[in-house]
Amino acid sequence: SSKRLYGVREYLESLLWNIQMYVDGYCPDYHYVYPFRYAPDARRIVEWLEDQDLDPFPEPVAPISEEPALSPLEACLSMMPKSGAKYLPVSLRKLIESSSSPLYKMFNDDREKF
């Protein structure tokens, strides 16, 4: 398979995103997602660093966005498995259970495709 399983640069950026969130006390990008399924192992990180031109050393930057955070209900819906639909307000439950909903396919598709 030619699909990449991890990205070293992206992983290091995601670490910066996480550190900035905890150190500075705010989320730099509410919509940031590490785009790979796995993190690289330490050997791959070292190999990547050895391949980089580090003169001058690049200033690391965490992903930043001006997009507002999701509302609490939107955040809940974005993380809710289909089995948890019974805990949602009826108006949101319909988004998961109604076949006419634009979100229906996302919650009722084969999850193993990820």
Side-chain angles (χ1 to χ4, degrees):
S1 171
S2 63
K3 184 177 178 184
R4 287 178 28 188
L5 298 176
Y6 60 83
V8 174
R9 186 175 142 262
E10 295 89 343
Y11 177 72
L12 295 174
E13 288 173 350
S14 70
L15 289 178
L16 288 173
W17 175 85
N18 199 337
I19 291 167
Q20 184 173 2
M21 189 170 59
Y22 285 100
V23 171
D24 295 338
Y26 71 94
C27 180
D29 183 350
Y30 286 100
H31 300 278
Y32 175 72
V33 175
Y34 175 66
F36 300 97
R37 188 169 187 165
Y38 301 103
D41 59 33
R43 180 174 39 128
R44 301 282 187 239
I45 294 172
V46 170
E47 289 172 357
W48 182 85
L49 288 169
E50 289 173 345
D51 288 343
Q52 302 305 304
D53 177 15
L54 300 177
D55 185 28
F57 195 82
E59 182 68 31
V61 178
I64 298 172
S65 172
E66 298 297 321
E67 292 290 320
L70 298 173
S71 73
L73 288 176
E74 290 169 330
C76 178
L77 185 60
S78 71
M79 296 181 287
M80 181 70 64
K82 182 181 178 189
S83 61
K86 61 187 171 199
Y87 301 111
L88 291 171
V90 175
S91 59
L92 291 178
R93 191 177 315 147
K94 290 177 184 175
L95 291 173
I96 295 175
E97 297 175 340
S98 172
S99 61
S100 63
S101 165
L103 300 180
Y104 179 80
K105 184 173 167 82
M106 181 178 76
F107 282 94
N108 293 282
D109 208 4
D110 180 11
R111 290 294 177 121
E112 294 301 314
K113 290 180 183 177
F114 179 72

